Amino acid sequence: MSLAFLDGQPATADDLRALALANYGHFSSMQVRGRAVRGFDLHLQRLKAATRELFDQTLDEARIRSGIISALDAAGMDDAGVRVTVFSRAFDSLRPDRSVPVDVLASLSPAREAATTPAWVKTFAFQRPLPHVKHVGTFPLFQWRRQALRDGFDDALFVDARGRISEGSVWNIGFWDGEQVVWPQAEALRGTQEKLLQAGLAEVGVAQRHMPVEARALGGLKAAFAANATGVWPLSGIDDLALRPDPVLMERLRAALQAAPLRSL
């Protein structure tokens, strides 16, 4: 099931066609529980900043909230996966420099939690263009995930031209060296869940460090995990390196997320 609403009204085929054909815009995905979102302020910041960068427009927070609430009302849902996409039906690919009004599309899907099954991932040399923006150019993300699955892995993990680990297909990655959480330092989309984890771990006194992590030099790292809006899950291996999921670490990570309050829409 997937439902789409444009500024609170059911999206038409023409609305969706404009987005699909131009394929220019950005989005943020979140999990809504009881009409509240953990880290909602981070999603608002992301959507507003990307709208300024891609469209030179100001996006009002009230419009984002209203679009989500209207969509939930129309669908009769309190719990859902929500993707807010900002694009413009007036966008002209021949003159992308022109100032155009933006549209806010709220898409609803069933609520989802991260799987607890450990994932074994395969690395690919790839750098997302404009990595700090969660833009709609997702083709390579799913193509590399598809290739990973065809090769017998569970997902794709990206490394940059220098061999440094950056991010997963639609998730961020962190490591545990036995004493601290290590966040790989490279150009990547810094996810809302990653930021919540970092804040939560700091509150409970878990040491953290940001540093370059090379995919070919993981010997000193004892465990790894992935995180996105659905939650956190352990990694059981990267390429030919087996990793042992750490139950204690996973409990700490989940507790760190739970420490972040749910914010009403």
Side-chain angles (χ1 to χ4, degrees), residues 3 5 8 11 13 57-59 74 82 101 106 120 125 163 195 206 218 222:
L3 305 171
F5 298 84
Q57 295 283 353
T58 298
L59 182 59
V82 176
W120 199 308
K195 293 176 181 177
V206 175
L218 298 175
K222 300 183 180 300

Side-chain angles (χ1 to χ4, degrees), residues 60-252:
D60 187 63
E61 290 184 8
R63 185 178 176 191
I64 301 172
R65 293 177 185 272
S66 175
I68 297 173
I69 292 172
S70 296
L72 292 170
D73 286 343
M77 300 172 71
D78 291 326
D79 300 339
V82 176
R83 168 171 163 159
V84 176
T85 303
V86 180
F87 71 108
S88 176
R89 287 171 292 175
F91 179 78
D92 183 354
S93 61
L94 298 178
R95 289 299 308 272
D97 58 320
R98 285 179 176 164
S99 179
V100 291
V102 295
D103 299 296
V104 178
L105 181 76
S107 306
L108 307 183
S109 58
R112 188 164 72 89
E113 301 289 343
T116 58
T117 306
W120 199 308
V121 300
K122 181 176 182 178
T123 59
F124 295 92
F126 174 69
Q127 176 67 65
R128 293 191 319 114
L130 216 64
H132 63 285
V133 175
K134 195 174 180 70
H135 52 73
V136 297
T138 55
F139 167 80
L141 309 183
F142 298 122
Q143 175 59 20
W144 289 125
R145 173 186 269 180
R146 178 176 185 269
Q147 188 60 53
L149 290 166
R150 290 168 68 92
D151 291 342
F153 294 82
D154 298 307
D155 212 326
L157 176 65
F158 302 136
V159 298
D160 64 15
R162 296 165 60 183
R164 300 177 304 177
I165 289 174
S166 56
E167 59 186 321
S169 61
V170 292
W171 40 272
N172 292 112
I173 185 171
F175 296 92
W176 176 249
D177 68 2
E179 297 181 356
Q180 61 187 347
V181 171
V182 176
W183 299 101
Q185 206 170 44
E187 283 195 278
L189 178 68
R190 303 269 69 103
T192 58
Q193 204 79 324
E194 179 187 80
K195 293 176 181 177
L196 290 176
L197 280 170
Q198 290 170 357
L201 290 171
E203 283 191 16
V204 298
V206 175
Q208 303 176 76
R209 182 181 179 188
H210 292 78
M211 59 178 284
V213 177
E214 293 189 10
R216 60 186 178 183
L218 298 175
L221 299 172
K222 300 183 180 300
F225 60 90
N228 66 14
T230 65
V232 292
W233 62 98
L235 298 184
S236 55
I238 298 175
D239 292 335
D240 59 356
L241 175 68
L243 294 167
R244 180 175 295 177
D246 187 326
V248 175
L249 170 64
M250 297 310 299
E251 284 302 315
R252 287 182 177 178

